[in-house]
Amino acid sequence: MKAHPKHVILVTGASSGFGALSARALARAGHIVYASMRETAGRNAAQVQAARDDADKQRIDLRTIELDVQSQASADRAIARIVGETGRLDVVMHNAGHMAFGPAEAFTPEQYAQLYDINVLGAQRVNRAAVPHLRQQGRGLVLWIGSSSHRGGTPPYLAPYFAAKAAMDALAVSYAAELTRWGIESSIVVPGAFTKGTQHFAHPAVPADTDRLAEYDAGPTQGLAQEILSGLAACEPPDADVAAVAQAVVDVVDSPFGKRPFRIHVDPSSDGCEVVNVVADRIRAEFLRRIRLGDLLTPRDAAPAEGVSHGA
């Protein structure tokens, strides 16, 4: 059996949740993984130490790196360090994000902007720093961690997060077509609502307008928040395991160039997103062919025959 090539991989938002799980799973699969997070010498110092301990114990190449997706300078420094240390960058995994929970009206516009900044502009900052290296190599993978919330059976009280994730998915779809002629693939892993195993529902952003929030809590929507959380938990099978998301990431990365799926769903609750995406992605493909851009659906091998070391 042919061994998978070793890739140099950046995972954003890797202090916890899908990011931490995926970084470790990728490293165990034999890759060089940079688990990025902000405040590595501050509030995330314990996560940095935990990653080092896991790397030593499991004998894997798991490295931590400072990267605040809300800072272009931070993204630039992180990418420069990775390329400086390894000579290349093969896979960029966009995972950084933050949850919000509460009535849509009670969140201030500034809170919506902040969620958008983390989930969407953060990915753009990282791409601005990383994609030039992938294009120069003529080979690479941009891997997005999306959310079934952007098209599935979405519950209320998650508007800022859902809106940001929908925007992120739109960005990912556009990038996918723009990068194929450069030899760069795109894949979108779409998790469902895992209520256990991540910090999403444990530490979400809450509405800043506490007066509006109090009105919802005292009015006809009294108790709705708990109904939502209970309903979501009831839809989730007892054996739902967030590790399945990390395994899906490994499967995508380890797939041969040109054979990676454009989108893969990991949704134990089956909220319907996969059904909608099948139609939406088919229409996208049909339209690109209709306007004679069907070649944008398949990555072109643009890697130089020699001189540049790559694996993606």
Side-chain angles (χ1 to χ4, degrees), residues 231-305:
L232 282 173
C235 282
E236 191 173 338
D239 60 350
D241 186 357
V242 292
V245 177
Q247 185 57 53
V249 167
V250 173
D251 292 344
V252 169
V253 171
D254 283 347
S255 295
F257 176 77
K259 302 295 184 181
R260 289 171 173 133
F262 177 63
R263 200 187 292 273
I264 182 169
H265 296 78
V266 187
D267 180 18
S269 299
S270 301
D271 67 12
C273 181
E274 185 170 6
V275 176
V276 180
N277 274 334
V278 166
V279 177
D281 291 340
R282 187 191 73 220
I283 291 172
R284 166 183 174 266
E286 290 174 352
F287 186 76
L288 285 176
R289 295 188 183 102
R290 179 181 168 192
I291 60 176
R292 301 180 181 179
L293 292 175
D295 72 292
L296 300 183
L297 297 169
T298 305
R300 179 183 301 174
D301 190 350

Side-chain angles (χ1 to χ4, degrees), residues 166-192:
M168 181 187 183
D169 190 86
L171 186 67
V173 169
S174 291
Y175 260 110
E178 294 173 17
L179 295 178
T180 52
R181 289 180 181 176
W182 291 92
I184 301 170
E185 290 183 279
S186 296
S187 289
I188 308 171
V189 174
V190 187

Side-chain angles (χ1 to χ4, degrees), residues 14 24 33-37 40 44 47-52 62-66 81 85:
R24 285 158 172 78
V33 181
Y34 284 83
S36 78
M37 60 195 80
T40 53
N44 280 324
Q47 283 69 29
V48 170
Q49 187 60 52
R52 289 174 181 165
L62 176 62
R63 314 177 187 185
T64 56
I65 190 168
E66 175 77 27
R81 176 183 154 191
E85 290 180 356

